[in-house]
Amino acid sequence: MSVWALLVAAGAGERLGADRPKAFANLGGRPLLAESIERLDRSDWIDAIVVAAPPGWEEPVILLAEELIASKVVAAVPGGSTRAESVQAALAEVPADAVVVLVHDAARPLLDDAVIERVLGPLTEGADGVVPVLGVSDTIKRVRDGVVEATVDRGELVAAQTPQAFPADTLRRALAGDLEGATDCASLVERAGGRVRVVEGDPRLLKVTTRADLELVESWL
Ligand code: CTP
Ligand code: MG
């Protein structure tokens, strides 16, 4: 079984507000991206890695991979203007004989091998996609124009993380359709009628969005 990892790192990082794309923001003295490249490369579950780089940053990504001796990184391609388009660009590098594709946000540096193992498991039982999730502990309300419309039953709600795993052909079909409004890959597979399973996520897979997130993740390194 060949498992390809797509590492999407092409975002600008506007909310972080650094002087460079978020993937190259400093995390413990290295570019943020280094953490997930290294962890994917070290994982026995992963055979090859494609990085969607911020446009113009493909070469720095390759140099970083060389520096990390991350020999599974086979390509760095320029990402698109949305996350889904960046996934599409990276997926174009995956050969036809790939069996499974795992998609991970570079913005979630603290990738644990146990999570990779958990998301791959249900694929052998026929799942069309697998998503790591966390339950929500706050009370969740739907609000319009500053007024609460409803308090939503949080027992049914989870927060979705990455890495998300898919049979390669299922992901290819999902990404060939309308990408409008998709903030993760699983939602495209769901839209196409696929059955997406959930597994336990990891609080340390926090997505770095703001400066405070970066500092928190740095303290966990
Ligand atoms: N991403 C991407 N291509 C895009 C947009 C996002 O590859 N056009 C990636 C980001 O690099 C990140 C992940 O998708 O690893 C999640 O996106 P997000 O956290 O929103 O990152 P940014 O878009 O960079 O941040 P912001 O929205 O604050 O600009
Ligand atoms: Mg974004």
Side-chain angles (χ1 to χ4, degrees), residues 3 10 31 35 41 43 54 60 95 101 112 136 160 169 182 185 197 209:
V3 179
E35 205 64 42
D41 193 79
S43 172
V101 177
D112 194 278
V136 290
D169 288 339
C185 292
R197 286 270 309 270
T209 304

Side-chain angles (χ1 to χ4, degrees), residues 3-220:
V3 179
W4 282 62
L6 311 183
L7 185 60
V8 287
E14 298 217 353
R15 291 168 287 181
L16 187 62
D19 60 354
R20 64 197 80 171
K22 182 157 73 184
F24 284 87
N26 178 13
L27 178 72
R30 307 196 298 180
L32 180 124
L33 177 68
E35 205 64 42
S36 36
I37 288 182
E38 203 170 63
R39 288 160 183 254
L40 286 168
D41 193 79
R42 276 204 305 247
S43 172
D44 288 337
W45 300 103
I46 304 298
D47 297 304
I49 304 164
V50 180
V51 181
W57 290 75
E58 301 88 322
E59 192 162 332
V61 168
I62 292 298
L63 291 174
L64 176 64
E66 283 172 2
E67 210 174 291
L68 297 169
I69 320 177
S71 54
K72 294 179 188 171
V73 175
V74 297
V77 298
S81 58
T82 63
R83 183 187 187 277
E85 284 168 18
S86 295
V87 174
Q88 225 172 24
L91 190 57
E93 300 295 316
V94 175
D97 63 1
V99 178
V100 166
V101 177
L102 188 118
V103 184
H104 184 58
D105 291 332
R108 302 179 192 272
L110 300 189
L111 175 59
D112 194 278
D113 212 37
V115 181
I116 298 178
E117 183 170 8
R118 285 205 288 279
V119 296
L120 293 175
L123 292 181
T124 60
E125 296 149 22
D128 297 312
V130 188
V131 178
V133 301
L134 293 179
V136 290
S137 47
D138 292 317
T139 298
I140 306 288
K141 297 182 187 293
R142 187 179 302 116
V143 175
R144 182 174 298 185
D145 298 329
V147 177
V148 174
E149 284 192 333
T151 297
V152 185
D153 177 10
R154 77 174 168 216
E156 288 190 338
L157 298 178
V158 294
Q161 301 182 314
T162 74
Q164 302 185 350
F166 308 90
D169 288 339
T170 305
L171 187 64
R172 280 199 193 90
R173 276 194 303 273
L175 276 141
D178 180 15
L179 305 180
E180 188 66 41
T183 54
D184 74 352
C185 292
S187 63
L188 294 168
V189 172
E190 294 153 29
R191 257 186 233 176
R195 191 175 155 79
V196 175
R197 286 270 309 270
V198 300
V199 295
E200 185 65 24
D202 184 346
R204 295 198 174 222
L205 271 174
L206 176 76
K207 187 168 76 160
V208 172
T209 304
T210 63
R211 175 69 37 191
D213 298 331
L214 190 65
E215 283 162 14
L216 186 55
V217 166
E218 192 155 48
S219 76
W220 289 341

